[in-house]
Amino acid sequence: MRKFLVVLDDSRECLNAMRFAAMRAANTGGGVQILSVIPPDEFNHWIGVGDIMREEARERIHAHFDVFAKWMHDKQSIDPELVIREGEAVPEILAQIREDPEVGVLVLGAGTDKQGPGPLISQLVKSSGNLPIPMTIVPGELSKERLEAVT
């Protein structure tokens, strides 16, 4: 089964990327894999404190995932898979793509502020010619109705 890989983070545009991935998966018989990357610099503390912070980060990720998973299941009949990795975002995204041969499309949400589409998109576009799969960039301002129309 082809999976749409979407990155879960705290950005507003993440919501449209999640919606797009779920709708495309439902319309094409695919699946959704949600990837969350915990940056390493969050844990540069004493060992005990770092372990507690890592666990708290995982709890936050699971709480966010549960919200998206419920919506995907209720609205699109999709049961997404959660993957949590630790490290720098772009290398971990690329590693996940390489390690899971079922991942067929990377879906990212573009930011809407004047600073550009966001750091992930900016970094991944530079190496997009070498990506082993297509990358779909979903505009952050796209309405639900327009998302439904294009999926």
Side-chain angles (χ1 to χ4, degrees):
M1 167 178 42
R2 176 180 66 162
K3 296 176 190 173
F4 291 84
L5 177 63
V6 62
V7 177
L8 172 64
D9 58 23
D10 293 330
S11 69
R12 206 175 117 221
E13 55 270 13
C14 172
L15 177 60
N16 267 0
M18 292 287 175
R19 286 180 178 146
F20 180 88
M23 290 178 197
R24 286 293 299 147
N27 291 336
T28 62
V32 174
Q33 185 176 83
I34 298 175
L35 172 65
S36 187
V37 180
I38 301 172
D41 56 329
E42 282 191 28
F43 310 114
N44 288 338
H45 303 281
W46 296 288
I47 293 172
V49 174
D51 290 343
I52 291 169
M53 291 177 71
R54 183 177 289 109
E55 187 55 38
E56 288 173 352
R58 287 182 176 277
E59 288 173 8
R60 280 192 314 272
I61 290 167
H62 280 281
H64 283 112
F65 171 78
D66 290 345
V67 170
F68 286 116
K70 181 177 179 357
W71 179 86
M72 287 182 189
H73 179 79
D74 293 350
K75 299 288 185 183
Q76 304 296 329
S77 298
I78 295 290
D79 292 315
E81 164 190 1
L82 176 63
V83 175
I84 300 173
R85 298 180 73 108
E86 293 183 26
E88 297 298 329
V90 171
E92 293 303 326
I93 292 167
L94 297 174
Q96 184 62 31
I97 291 168
R98 281 191 307 273
E99 291 171 18
D100 189 341
E102 291 185 333
V103 171
V105 178
L106 173 60
V107 180
L108 299 171
T112 57
D113 61 21
K114 291 179 172 62
Q115 295 175 352
L120 282 182
I121 292 174
S122 297
Q123 291 176 45
L124 284 165
V125 164
K126 292 177 186 173
S127 61
S128 61
N130 296 321
L131 287 175
I133 61 172
M135 179 171 53
T136 300
I137 299 173
V138 183
E141 291 288 327
L142 212 56
S143 69
K144 288 183 213 177
E145 296 77 23
R146 188 71 183 124
L147 272 173
E148 289 172 0
V150 299
T151 57

